Amino acid sequence: MADSKKITSAIISVYHKDGLAPIVKKLDELGVVLYSTGGTEKYINDLGIPVIPVENITEYPSILGGRVKTLHPKVFGGILNRQENESDVAEMEQFNIPQLDLVIVDLYPFDKTVASGADEQEIIEQIDIGGISLIRAAAKNFKDTLCISSMEDYEEVLKIISEGNGSTTLEQRKNFAAKSFNVSSHYDTAIFNYFNSDHDIVSLKISETRGKLLRYGENPHQKGFFFGDFDSMFDKLHGKELSYNNLLDVDAAVNLMNEFKDDAPTFAILKHNNACGISQRDTIYQAYADALAGDPVSAFGGVLISNTEIDESTSEEIHKLFCEVVIAPSYTAKSLEILKGKKNRILLIQKLYEFPKTTTRSCLNGALVQDRDTLTDSEENLTQATNNNPSSGELDDLLFASKICKHTKSNTIVLAKNKQLFASGTGQTSRVEALRQAIEKSRSFGFDLNGAVMASDAFFPFPDCVEIADKAGITAIIQPGGSIKDELSVHYCNENNVSMVFTGVRHFKH
């Protein structure tokens, strides 16, 4: 084949040695001359395989504590020379530069060092200079050079050189070049984001090397992908592959339940990113039953999530419902046996996980980035707006409803009682309409709104909402406050014995 290249020499400089031995042995078997540095050179020597120190090419030792080893014209000339270019061939001979057909590099683990909480000096020393330069050079010259830039590719390259008797095709080399630039760009992005952690430089760089093709996007005619490390958040125990819409609902579910992670048993059912049922009880069985009672119609095909272990009795009830996904920190053995009775039902164990500090979404021809909304309304942050205080039970319900409100699409109104979601008005253009929707839905499922509470994601510019709520039986209200006409709503509440508290924090969700 015209584009086939035989590997005659290789330079190997890797951080991780796992999986390297079979490749080194195969290269030696094929008669390939090996060059290496430092720990990798010692590793190859210990395998009993001949290896030439890079210092023999450069005629310079490793200097500055190992910071400079391969950065030399004789190394990079051997990688970057164009083998069909007469001038390059002549200069290679003139300066006695050895040909390097294969470069194998595995970079210092910068990401892992940052994640470990290491001090700055240790992190800085994990910024690979020589390795990243070798990768870029070899990938650029893919017409003549094969570049292997990750230990994840060792198995594939071993197969290629074994089947090709040491030869590679242009297509193969170009494919590995693309992989190499993926590695180098990801590496540089991680370094930049470390130095720009405070976002003093207004620049957005996102890099995710783990990706998966989904069955389709939001709709069947759209192609969809997920980029991220799903396995760091969940163990998938059973069921079909998660869809684009499944993933959005799972995201909404875990963000909502994060508000209740240290609370009494809490169960939520979500549909189209909004909670259609959520309840907190003494047992997870009762929490599920009362969450389902909030809207048994919308629960069909929903995503279910628990903040505690799901037991056998709860699973027996869940099994009666068609649902797409069930999420919990753990399951009893019998519970799993029951839930696996539906072959497509997705069962996830949620691991301990620290959410990203920012959120990103596409907008126009760019992206919007903001701090994650990590504020949770609590009793100590409330301001009593009315003459009468909410009872302790009402206060618990207000904070419960406020947590749900924070994770429901705006404009929203949430109605709750005894730590059970009665209904929410979601995604309405009018707050009054959101309230009316919630009242009508509550009544349609037989809930008694007398003594219930109301949460709003934003302030009331007029007293119409508090008046409608009062006449429906609502006795306590939680809202951000901040309207120039707050007094109109406060006055109505005082006149009609409705308690109201201000949080001082708006929780829009668009």
Side-chain angles (χ1 to χ4, degrees), residues 182-363:
N182 183 30
V183 168
S184 66
S185 63
H186 179 75
Y187 199 76
D188 285 340
T189 295
I191 295 169
F192 170 76
N193 286 336
Y194 169 75
F195 280 97
N196 195 43
S197 60
D198 294 330
H199 302 287
D200 292 331
I201 300 173
V202 185
S203 178
L204 175 64
K205 297 191 188 301
I206 299 173
S207 179
E208 182 51 71
T209 58
R210 291 153 296 202
K212 184 174 185 179
L213 176 66
L214 304 174
R215 296 198 304 273
Y216 51 80
E218 199 162 7
N219 300 293
H221 63 278
Q222 295 170 273
K223 184 177 283 189
F225 300 86
F226 172 72
F227 294 99
D229 188 5
F230 186 85
D231 293 339
S232 70
M233 289 191 68
F234 302 99
D235 286 328
K236 183 171 178 284
L237 306 179
H238 182 73
K240 63 184 180 181
E241 292 298 312
L242 282 94
S243 69
Y244 183 99
N245 292 328
N246 287 155
L247 289 165
L248 286 175
D249 281 333
V250 168
D251 178 70
V254 297
N255 277 282
L256 170 62
M257 195 53 73
N258 191 52
E259 303 285 346
F260 302 95
K261 63 182 178 181
D262 298 320
D263 289 0
T266 307
F267 205 104
I269 303 171
L270 289 89
K271 195 75 171 288
H272 296 294
N273 310 158
N274 295 302
C276 57
I278 180 168
S279 175
Q280 189 173 100
R281 294 292 181 260
D282 292 333
T283 67
I284 200 62
Y285 174 88
Q286 196 58 50
Y288 168 71
D290 290 344
L292 180 62
D295 187 347
V297 176
S298 296
F300 182 86
V303 168
L304 282 56
I305 186 167
S306 168
N307 72 342
T308 191
E309 184 174 76
I310 293 180
D311 56 24
E312 179 181 348
S313 59
T314 308
S315 289
E316 287 174 344
E317 293 303 310
I318 293 173
H319 193 57
K320 298 173 184 177
L321 174 73
F322 169 70
C323 58
E324 291 274 337
V325 185
V326 183
I327 310 165
S330 61
Y331 304 81
T332 65
K334 186 62 178 177
S335 171
L336 273 180
E337 183 182 331
I338 294 167
L339 293 174
K340 286 181 178 180
K342 298 283 179 69
K343 68 175 183 178
N344 288 329
R345 180 185 286 143
I346 299 164
L347 303 180
L348 302 175
I349 287 181
Q350 185 180 351
K351 303 176 184 178
L352 292 175
Y353 179 78
E354 185 175 340
F355 290 91
K357 294 179 180 178
T358 59
T359 63
T360 306
R361 65 190 295 180
S362 61
C363 181

Side-chain angles (χ1 to χ4, degrees), residues 11-67:
I11 182 167
I12 306 174
S13 180
V14 299
Y15 183 87
H16 295 100
K17 314 298 188 295
D18 302 353
L20 183 63
I23 297 177
V24 173
K25 291 176 181 178
K26 174 54 70 173
L27 291 172
D28 179 55
E29 180 186 315
L30 292 167
V32 175
V33 178
L34 302 181
Y35 299 89
S36 192
T37 64
T40 309
E41 178 194 342
K42 181 180 183 304
Y43 175 82
I44 297 172
N45 266 320
D46 290 345
L47 292 173
I49 293 173
V51 57
I52 301 172
V54 166
E55 290 93 325
N56 288 14
I57 303 175
T58 64
E59 298 178 351
Y60 267 91
S62 171
I63 61 173
L64 306 180
R67 282 189 164 196

Side-chain angles (χ1 to χ4, degrees), residues 13 70-71 103 105-107 128-136:
S13 180
T70 58
L71 295 170
V103 173
V105 175
D106 183 64
L107 299 171
D128 205 317
I129 303 301
I132 204 79
S133 301
L134 290 170
I135 287 173
R136 290 179 63 83

